Amino acid sequence: MACVLLFLVAIGIAWVGVNKFLQRKRLPPGVKRLPGPMGLPYIGRVHDIPEKGSWLKFYEWSKTYGPIYQTKIFGTVHVWISSEQIAHDLLSRRAVIYSDRPMIPNLPDNRTSGDYLALLGKTDTWKRQRKLCNHLMHTSALASLHGYPSLERDRFLYMMWHAPEQYIEWVEQFTSRTVSRLSWGSAHPAQVLRHTTFGLLETISPSGALPNLISVLRHVPAAISPWKKKEAKRHALEAELFRANVGFVKDMVERDRAEPSFIRTFLETKKGVAESKGKRKEGEVDEAMRVVGLMAIAGALTIGSPIQSYLLAMCHYPEWQLKLQNEIDSVLGDGRCPQWEDREKLPTLRAVVKEVIRWRPPVPTGIPHAVEKDDVWNGYFIPAGATIHALEWSITRDETTYPDAETFNPGRWLDPSFPTFRAPLTQYPNLSGFSQFGFGRRTCQGIPIVEQDLFLAMGGLAWAFGIRKRRDRATGAEVPVHWNDYTPLLIAKPSRFEFDLVPRDEGKRARMREMYAASREMDDKEKGETSGYPFSEYPVDVEEKMVGGDEVESESDHDVLITVRDSSPEPGMMSYRDESSSCSDSDSLEFFGGEGMRNGWKRSVVEGDVPGAWRWA
Ligand code: HEM
């Protein structure tokens, strides 16, 4: 027995030795290995990385090891970049070799399958898909996204007014309905889109499915792997959804009733090309279906993060809410809600949008690139196949670019004394080229959507409401709001917190009713158009999970935690239940009418209203 043990130890030592030797051999003369924390053999420092807020640990290591360092996790070298300059040097200037993506253990065909543009390797499929995405985005941006973000924003404000305790639900509905309209010309696919999309986030996030952390688990056979089974089911639903959506748009185009959308643009462009060349390939429609699907996924996943962070920021920095409201009131003068056409006149609003993203980056660890060839940067060796992370959290904490980085200060984009100031203020600040959207050939292609959605959502919230920390009714004391408690997946969102939300005046209430009526009209019109569309009624279990009941424990960040509260609001303050604006309000009665009680919450069954929404009865 002792002999066997000795033999195994000897083999182990030899294996480590040979490995080290091989690695050392690869180092060209005069070149050093990147610094980084020493780890255990094979697993590296995986045990040091917290499940929640992993980016904080990577940031902490950057303080010790510098703006570029490496860790080794389960045999793979991970390079962590905390400086925007270095990220540009490598990912943009050397994009020829730094534009690949790593394999995701829980989705091992991500580099080749063509299902998700953003996760594809540097292949011809990726180049083709990126070009198509660019064309669709550009065409839509030229048409100001067909007014969809504004239409949905109006609906969003009304929902926030009437049931602010469900704010996560309304934020996610706003982003997914907007991007559904953009993608397929209809808001109907939005709820199923949310369901499949948040499942995908778990599938691909390092802290989501376990095989992404312990990569050997990807070899577990599909028949007994819970992760593979779950992903297969999710993927099948997603594929069915995307196929049905394209079928729906084709049908509407044939009937000459299709609203503008990415898919309609694609079909019309292709029709023109096909007619001139006398041919059209079905495979192209399949590819467009996937590209547009990915654009919808990206829109549904990401934009809710900064909107929720805005609410958090307003709780902690009321002075910026006031400045924003002053700008909106004085510039727009007539008391109306900001529109996209007003953007040149509202630099403070654009600064708030950008600062929210800087303060709480939606993708704090970035989306990793992979390097295809051995490289040397500044005397440091970066091996082929390494995973390269532009650590967005650290990049936004670089004090030379962002003095007093922990403070939410939109002024850094408006005041010439800050390094980030840029003139003219009619144009800057804007999100174009912002580090938070990545680097080089893989930069984000959705910035026009993000920019418009956030401008309208944050502008609308500031125009309509005063938002502040909730006050305890009995003591008048403020209920604490967390500072930086975020969900752990690749796209990070603030954990649920409580706040008070007050419409600013009667004029705003009246205006919100009118704005909502216009968006309702669009929904009603659509209802008549979608008979036969298979996802217009989404499965109840999805709805149950998303719109929830009381105190539903969250499994992932798309589950909504609804706290049933029986408190009445403080005088003059519209808390989570505002008598003056819910049951007693005639349009609210219409909106919330229906049957079916559940622990004091009533499900809305009124035709044409938010499906399955719950209200306090
Ligand atoms: C707040 C919202 C968003 C943020 C913070 C964000 C951020 C990012 C980041 C960091 C990347 C990776 C860049 C890199 O690898 O260097 C990326 C890629 C991408 N984003 Fe976004 N994004 C957002 C919204 C959107 C939206 C709405 C779309 C819709 C079209 C979109 C489409 C894409 C695409 C297609 C890619 C992949 C590009 C490629 O791999 O070639 N994103 N985004």
Side-chain angles (χ1 to χ4, degrees):
M1 184 66 191
C3 282
V4 175
L5 213 61
L6 264 177
F7 178 70
L8 287 177
V9 170
I11 294 255
I13 291 171
W15 184 78
V16 171
V18 168
N19 233 351
K20 283 213 155 175
F21 173 73
L22 287 176
Q23 281 177 6
R24 195 138 297 181
K25 240 185 98 185
R26 283 171 69 183
L27 280 190
V31 169
K32 302 169 278 190
R33 219 174 293 282
L34 281 168
M38 287 290 287
L40 296 172
Y42 192 58
I43 67 164
R45 291 288 285 266
V46 75
H47 50 287
D48 275 344
I49 303 167
E51 194 206 331
K52 239 182 153 185
S54 60
W55 49 91
L56 299 176
K57 186 74 201 173
F58 297 129
Y59 174 51
E60 188 190 311
W61 276 336
S62 78
K63 298 272 171 216
T64 311
Y65 301 105
I68 178 165
Y69 67 89
Q70 72 170 45
T71 56
K72 224 170 166 195
I73 303 172
F74 292 111
T76 302
V77 172
H78 292 257
V79 175
W80 300 92
I81 301 174
S82 297
S83 136
E84 189 170 344
Q85 187 54 52
I86 300 175
H88 274 303
D89 278 358
L90 296 179
L91 306 181
S92 305
R93 297 214 175 86
R94 300 183 192 182
V96 178
I97 59 167
Y98 278 89
S99 298
D100 204 358
R101 293 276 191 225
M103 189 261 275
I104 299 171
N106 199 42
L107 195 70
D109 63 351
N110 69 287
R111 299 184 61 261
T112 51
S113 78
D115 279 345
Y116 309 108
L117 189 179
L119 308 176
L120 268 169
K122 203 185 95 189
T123 60
D124 287 345
T125 311
W126 165 67
K127 283 180 199 155
R128 226 174 31 244
Q129 292 201 359
R130 203 171 152 96
K131 208 166 149 194
L132 176 58
C133 180
N134 205 37
H135 166 65
L136 300 177
M137 194 65 257
H138 185 65
T139 310
S140 194
L142 282 180
S144 282
L145 308 184
H146 318 292
Y148 292 146
S150 172
L151 184 81
E152 287 299 332
R153 184 274 309 271
D154 293 354
R155 178 183 182 277
F156 167 63
L157 294 182
Y158 191 83
M159 301 303 158
M160 287 294 285
W161 171 20
H162 286 84
E165 75 286 351
Q166 293 197 59
Y167 73 94
I168 297 177
E169 175 66 17
W170 308 137
V171 168
E172 300 298 341
Q173 283 200 9
F174 164 66
T175 59
S176 56
R177 284 172 59 98
T178 305
V179 85
S180 277
R181 287 192 189 282
L182 281 166
S183 302
W184 307 293
S186 163
H188 274 85
Q191 290 290 62
V192 183
L193 174 71
R194 281 174 61 191
H195 176 67
T196 61
T197 295
F198 285 100
L200 179 64
L201 185 61
E202 270 181 29
T203 294
I204 63 169
S205 291
S207 56
L210 200 56
N212 290 337
L213 190 66
I214 305 173
S215 50
V216 286
L217 291 176
R218 79 172 193 271
H219 300 297
V220 176
I224 56 167
S225 162
W227 310 284
K228 285 181 183 162
K229 280 188 193 163
K230 193 172 173 192
E231 173 51 24
K233 201 169 155 203
R234 187 207 65 78
H235 187 266
L237 177 62
E238 180 186 86
E240 205 187 320
L241 173 73
F242 291 172
R243 205 161 291 284
N245 293 346
V246 173
F248 168 73
V249 182
K250 273 184 174 170
D251 186 44
M252 296 297 274
V253 167
E254 270 159 29
R255 290 197 274 145
D256 212 14
R257 307 258 285 274
E259 297 292 339
S261 69
F262 295 142
I263 285 289
R264 195 184 98 175
T265 302
F266 168 78
L267 292 173
E268 287 171 351
T269 314
K270 277 291 135 193
K271 193 164 171 251
V273 174
E275 276 165 4
S276 65
K277 289 189 182 165
K279 60 177 180 179
R280 178 169 160 191
K281 293 183 206 145
E282 246 335 282
E284 291 176 351
V285 179
D286 258 33
E287 182 145 271
M289 178 182 81
R290 293 196 177 95
V291 170
V292 171
L294 181 279
M295 292 166 87
I297 289 170
L301 269 186
T302 51
I303 300 174
S305 165
I307 299 177
Q308 292 184 46
S309 295
Y310 167 85
L311 298 169
L312 186 70
M314 292 306 103
C315 287
H316 290 296
Y317 294 92
E319 67 277 19
W320 275 105
Q321 180 168 249
L322 266 181
K323 284 183 192 169
L324 194 48
Q325 288 169 340
N326 286 342
E327 178 182 85
I328 292 169
D329 293 350
S330 64
V331 171
L332 301 186
D334 51 4
R336 66 186 170 80
C337 188
Q339 294 298 342
W340 185 231
E341 294 68 36
D342 299 317
R343 62 192 177 280
E344 285 189 4
K345 296 177 278 182
L346 298 171
T348 308
L349 175 51
R350 281 182 277 115
V352 166
V353 167
K354 193 160 185 176
E355 182 66 356
V356 166
I357 293 182
R358 185 206 67 82
W359 185 59
R360 294 291 178 260
V363 196
T365 50
I367 299 180
H369 293 216
V371 58
E372 291 171 273
K373 289 187 180 156
D374 285 351
D375 192 24
V376 176
W377 179 84
N378 226 11
Y380 289 112
F381 180 65
I382 300 172
T387 300
I388 315 291
H389 306 261
L391 190 52
E392 306 290 11
W393 179 271
S394 298
I395 287 173
T396 58
R397 261 94 201 132
D398 180 345
E399 286 281 333
T400 51
T401 311
Y402 306 108
D404 194 14
E406 280 312 323
T407 302
F408 175 84
N409 179 13
R412 68 178 78 247
W413 307 101
L414 301 168
D415 176 343
S417 67
F418 284 90
T420 38
F421 171 82
R422 215 172 147 188
L425 284 177
T426 45
Q427 195 182 337
Y428 303 105
N430 62 50
L431 299 183
S432 183
F434 193 20
S435 61
Q436 299 309 296
F437 295 90
F439 297 88
R441 294 183 191 171
R442 306 287 321 214
T443 43
C444 178
Q445 294 184 281
I447 293 176
I449 305 180
V450 183
E451 197 134 43
Q452 195 176 142
D453 272 14
L454 295 184
F455 178 88
L456 291 171
M458 294 181 194
L461 287 167
W463 168 82
F465 308 116
I467 289 161
R468 69 171 200 201
K469 288 181 185 169
R470 192 169 76 79
R471 293 260 166 79
D472 184 282
R473 252 181 330 122
T475 63
E478 279 180 348
V479 175
V481 170
H482 69 74
W483 170 248
N484 186 24
D485 180 7
Y486 272 61
T487 56
L489 300 180
L490 191 68
I491 318 284
K493 298 181 180 172
S495 301
R496 190 181 166 77
F497 55 95
E498 292 187 325
F499 54 89
D500 283 326
L501 176 144
V502 204
R504 290 176 62 211
D505 55 51
E506 254 328 298
K508 304 279 186 306
R509 286 172 191 244
R511 190 68 199 106
M512 275 193 279
R513 275 185 210 111
E514 290 164 20
M515 286 154 65
Y516 175 62
S519 85
R520 259 292 288 279
E521 229 171 77
M522 184 74 168
D523 269 4
D524 289 346
K525 178 171 165 255
E526 222 178 74
K527 260 199 174 313
E529 306 276 17
T530 51
S531 63
Y533 170 70
F535 289 101
S536 51
E537 293 302 328
Y538 50 88
V540 168
D541 63 326
V542 175
E543 176 192 316
E544 288 281 321
K545 243 187 150 191
M546 286 183 165
V547 187
D550 48 320
E551 297 288 358
V552 177
E553 273 308 322
S554 247
E555 264 175 33
S556 61
D557 70 343
H558 70 285
D559 296 332
V560 180
L561 192 74
I562 297 172
T563 315
V564 177
R565 301 226 317 263
D566 63 355
S567 55
S568 53
E570 184 185 325
M573 195 71 192
M574 198 207 115
S575 186
Y576 281 179
R577 293 193 310 124
D578 180 7
E579 314 310 343
S580 65
S581 64
S582 56
C583 303
S584 59
D585 201 5
S586 61
D587 52 10
S588 307
L589 269 179
E590 184 208 350
F591 170 75
F592 286 125
E595 301 161 5
M597 288 275 294
R598 188 166 148 185
N599 297 332
W601 287 84
K602 230 178 179 184
R603 185 193 290 276
S604 160
V605 292
V606 169
E607 279 286 296
D609 272 321
V610 190
W614 291 79
R615 64 140 179 128
W616 181 255

